[in-house]
Amino acid sequence: MSTDNTYISTVIRNRIKQSGRRFNANDNIAEFIQPGELELLQAEVEAKFQEVLNSLVIDTDTDHNTRETAKRVAKMYIQEVFAGRYTEMPEMTEFPNIEKLNELIIVGPITIRSACSHHFCPIMGKCWIGIMPNEKSNLIGLSKYARLASWIMQRPQIQEEAVVQLSDMLFNKMKPDGVAVVMKADHFCMQWRGVKDVNSKMINSVMRGSFLKNSDLRKEFLALINQAG
């Protein structure tokens, strides 16, 4: 709640609407959150999730296992599993391509963790990133690929959209000749519920620039990540 008894989520939502921007589950809204409001938002989520527990007919007063569950869940959503919605893009040190590197760079497998937008069930898997730089590209440190992937995935996601978000961000930020992203993940909304198929995985890829135009480069990238497992 805010100081005027209006939900802080309503205050933030109104700011976004006035800007004309969307705020889908996998969007980042950090620029619309003012200092101190994230703590208020977490408190609001805690109070509302307590009502969910009440509606599930769980006696959190006598059940020691769930007494602090609403607080834990609120912290988990805001500070951990969905933090990519509420925090700015990680700071990245960029380096000019002094040596004019123009050879294929592959990073992976990077561990990715998310939750599906449909059921909030976990998505767990790996992704591989391919970069074909040019002399004007901005290069970033190796660990930054993992940080950026985590930032994108720490939101309610659909895997098909997540790989597009990640590839577009890298393509726009680094300005290489090409970007390739392949993601392979387990979806617990399929394993834990529904058909309960524990063996199925989703694999998808996005190719940008030279990876899309040059079939030999695309084949080289796919062959190398297959060799790496």
Side-chain angles (χ1 to χ4, degrees):
M1 301 284 285
S2 67
T3 54
D4 62 356
N5 294 324
T6 301
Y7 283 120
I8 192 61
S9 61
T10 302
V11 174
I12 297 169
R13 182 181 290 106
N14 287 339
R15 284 193 199 121
I16 303 173
K17 286 183 175 179
Q18 289 171 7
S19 75
R21 293 269 295 277
R22 74 175 202 178
F23 49 103
N24 289 357
N26 60 357
D27 289 327
N28 179 273
I29 60 171
E31 66 184 278
F32 300 101
I33 300 175
Q34 296 179 2
E37 290 183 340
L38 206 56
E39 291 81 3
L40 294 174
L41 188 61
Q42 183 173 318
E44 179 185 330
V45 172
E46 178 182 344
K48 290 182 175 179
F49 197 80
Q50 181 60 51
E51 291 304 309
V52 171
L53 294 172
N54 293 342
S55 294
L56 290 171
V57 197
I58 297 174
D59 187 352
T60 58
D61 291 328
T62 61
D63 180 6
H64 62 280
N65 290 316
T66 58
R67 190 170 299 147
E68 299 290 326
T69 292
K71 181 178 181 179
R72 288 189 290 263
V73 169
K75 180 181 178 182
M76 177 186 71
Y77 281 155
I78 300 297
Q79 297 188 31
E80 299 171 333
V81 296
F82 296 155
R85 297 200 75 230
Y86 308 111
T87 57
E88 298 285 354
M89 180 186 294
E91 290 187 8
M92 295 196 309
T93 303
E94 299 179 21
F95 308 95
N97 191 358
I98 299 298
E99 299 298 328
K100 297 180 172 54
L101 300 175
N102 63 351
E103 301 294 335
L104 174 59
I105 300 170
I106 299 177
V107 182
I110 297 169
T111 300
I112 55 100
R113 303 174 182 86
S114 188
C116 74
S117 299
H118 296 159
H119 296 95
F120 278 19
C121 289
I123 298 172
M124 307 288 288
K126 306 284 185 183
C127 78
W128 292 260
I129 297 170
I131 302 289
M132 178 55 72
N134 58 53
E135 61 182 20
K136 297 181 180 179
S137 296
N138 298 318
L139 303 180
I140 63 175
L142 182 62
S143 66
K144 301 305 185 290
Y145 292 98
R147 291 184 185 276
L148 289 172
S150 178
W151 183 67
I152 290 290
M153 297 306 295
Q154 284 180 308
R155 311 167 191 181
Q157 278 287 9
I158 299 300
Q159 185 174 328
E160 302 94 306
E161 296 177 359
V163 290
V164 172
Q165 284 185 320
L166 181 55
S167 59
D168 285 349
M169 180 183 62
L170 290 169
F171 196 71
N172 293 331
K173 190 165 187 62
M174 299 181 68
K175 295 179 173 51
D177 282 343
V179 169
V181 177
V182 171
M183 189 174 294
K184 177 180 180 181
D186 293 299
H187 289 247
F188 284 73
C189 60
M190 188 174 180
Q191 295 184 4
W192 191 22
R193 55 161 301 281
V195 297
K196 298 181 181 177
D197 185 340
V198 298
N199 296 314
S200 295
K201 300 180 186 298
M202 175 179 279
I203 305 173
N204 54 351
S205 66
V206 172
M207 305 289 167
R208 296 281 186 263
S210 54
F211 286 95
L212 187 62
K213 300 172 184 177
N214 186 332
S215 61
D216 289 337
L217 177 61
R218 186 164 61 250
K219 289 176 183 176
E220 179 184 2
F221 168 71
L222 294 174
L224 287 171
I225 67 172
N226 284 334
Q227 289 176 17

